[in-house]
Amino acid sequence: MASGQLTAPTFSARLVPSFEGLKPSTLKFASVGPFKAGSLAQRSFKGLVVRAATVVAPKYTSLKPLGDRVLVKIKTAEEKTQGGILLPTTAQTKPQGGEVVAVGEGRTIGKSQIEISVKSGSQVVYSKYAGTELEFNGSTHLILKEDDILGILETDDVKDLKPLNERVLIKVAEAVEKTAGGLLLTEASKEKPSIGTVIAVGPGPLDDEGNRKPLLVSAGNTVMYSKYAGNDFKGSDGSDYIVLRASDLMAVLS
């Protein structure tokens, strides 16, 4: 080796396994250069399926949640728009709802045993990033805490949501269409409103003794809320709705 010159480290393709069924693609490693996965020595892993969800083996036929956890069978993602246009996978709306199929025994607060507030068969809506997704009995499920459930929804319209615990359902005020000087605003430049009308409220949080504390807001109140809080939904009438915790409310306007 000449003085002052460095050579790239060697790389053995035999050390890299391939996954049968995956499309060969060009990969790059630092200081190694491109190579084709299809050109590597084959070591097969038959039956391997890449999934985001935890897969429960078929030998297990029942799943009982513990404590305040709930098992929900997730609704299938919409594959068509309301106009009947097929959606590509990337454009499909990830479901945030499903049917409760099993519940835990609840939790203990103080001297009180608090049961889960939803029952098997209930149709619920939950927080977007809640829980652990799993494949069970051939269907996709989610196991999550009761507190991650936003409310019960027995119809297909979010305005009919019955919030749980300290959750509040709000119809978002329409964005301002013009500036103070009368200039029309484009959709991109419209500021996201943080004001809306309360549509429904939950029964309230539990105190240290397991008793419900009623919320300080009620249906019909106009409220201001934290700008980046909650979960956003689109109603069947095209209106925007948001479900958030009462603690994310900042003021009642009148």
Side-chain angles (χ1 to χ4, degrees), residues 204-215:
L206 295 168
D207 63 19
D208 293 337
E209 297 181 354
N211 300 313
R212 291 285 179 187
K213 296 172 59 178
L215 299 182

Side-chain angles (χ1 to χ4, degrees), residues 35 40-41 53 87 103 120 142 152 162 191 195 206 225 230 246:
F35 69 95
L40 301 178
L87 295 172
V103 300
S120 293
L142 192 72
I152 297 173
K162 298 176 181 177
E191 184 175 356
I195 294 174
L206 295 168
Y225 52 87

Side-chain angles (χ1 to χ4, degrees), residues 10-215:
T10 59
F11 178 82
S12 175
R14 291 193 300 273
L15 298 178
V16 180
S18 64
F19 294 86
E20 188 173 273
L22 296 185
K23 184 178 179 181
S25 60
T26 301
L27 305 178
K28 290 186 178 182
F29 287 77
S31 303
V32 175
F35 69 95
K36 290 280 187 178
S39 66
L40 301 178
Q42 296 291 315
R43 284 176 59 189
S44 298
F45 292 78
K46 293 184 179 180
L48 178 65
V49 180
V50 179
R51 296 178 185 271
T54 300
V55 180
V56 178
K59 67 179 180 179
Y60 300 108
T61 58
S62 67
L63 193 158
K64 172 65 176 175
L66 297 177
D68 61 346
R69 285 179 169 77
V70 178
L71 181 65
V72 176
K73 184 178 179 181
I74 300 176
K75 285 184 179 180
T76 304
E78 292 292 334
E79 295 183 355
K80 291 184 178 181
T81 64
Q82 291 183 346
I85 300 173
L86 282 172
L87 295 172
T89 303
T90 53
Q92 291 176 15
T93 302
K94 183 179 179 181
Q96 275 184 252
E99 179 183 349
V100 175
V101 294
V103 300
E105 66 275 12
R107 56 190 171 128
T108 300
I109 300 180
K111 296 181 180 180
S112 302
Q113 177 66 26
I114 309 299
E115 294 184 352
I116 302 292
S117 56
V118 294
K119 307 297 182 185
S120 293
S122 298
Q123 301 293 323
V124 297
V125 177
Y126 46 81
S127 297
K128 183 176 290 187
Y129 302 110
T132 298
E133 195 171 296
L134 53 91
E135 294 289 337
F136 179 64
N137 282 346
S139 300
T140 305
H141 292 70
L142 192 72
I143 188 164
L144 70 168
K145 289 190 174 184
E146 179 196 11
D147 189 54
D148 290 322
I149 298 176
L150 304 178
I152 297 173
L153 183 61
E154 300 292 350
T155 71
D156 292 329
D157 196 343
V158 70
K159 71 178 178 60
D160 299 322
L161 182 78
K162 298 176 181 177
L164 295 181
N165 301 314
E166 60 168 329
R167 291 312 203 298
V168 179
L169 172 65
I170 294 172
K171 184 177 182 180
V172 179
E174 293 185 4
V176 177
E177 300 284 342
K178 294 182 179 180
T179 65
L183 294 176
L184 284 172
L185 296 172
T186 63
E187 287 297 325
S189 60
K190 290 178 184 177
E191 184 175 356
K192 181 182 176 182
S194 55
I195 294 174
T197 302
V198 175
I199 302 300
V201 300
L206 295 168
D207 63 19
D208 293 337
E209 297 181 354
N211 300 313
R212 291 285 179 187
K213 296 172 59 178
L215 299 182

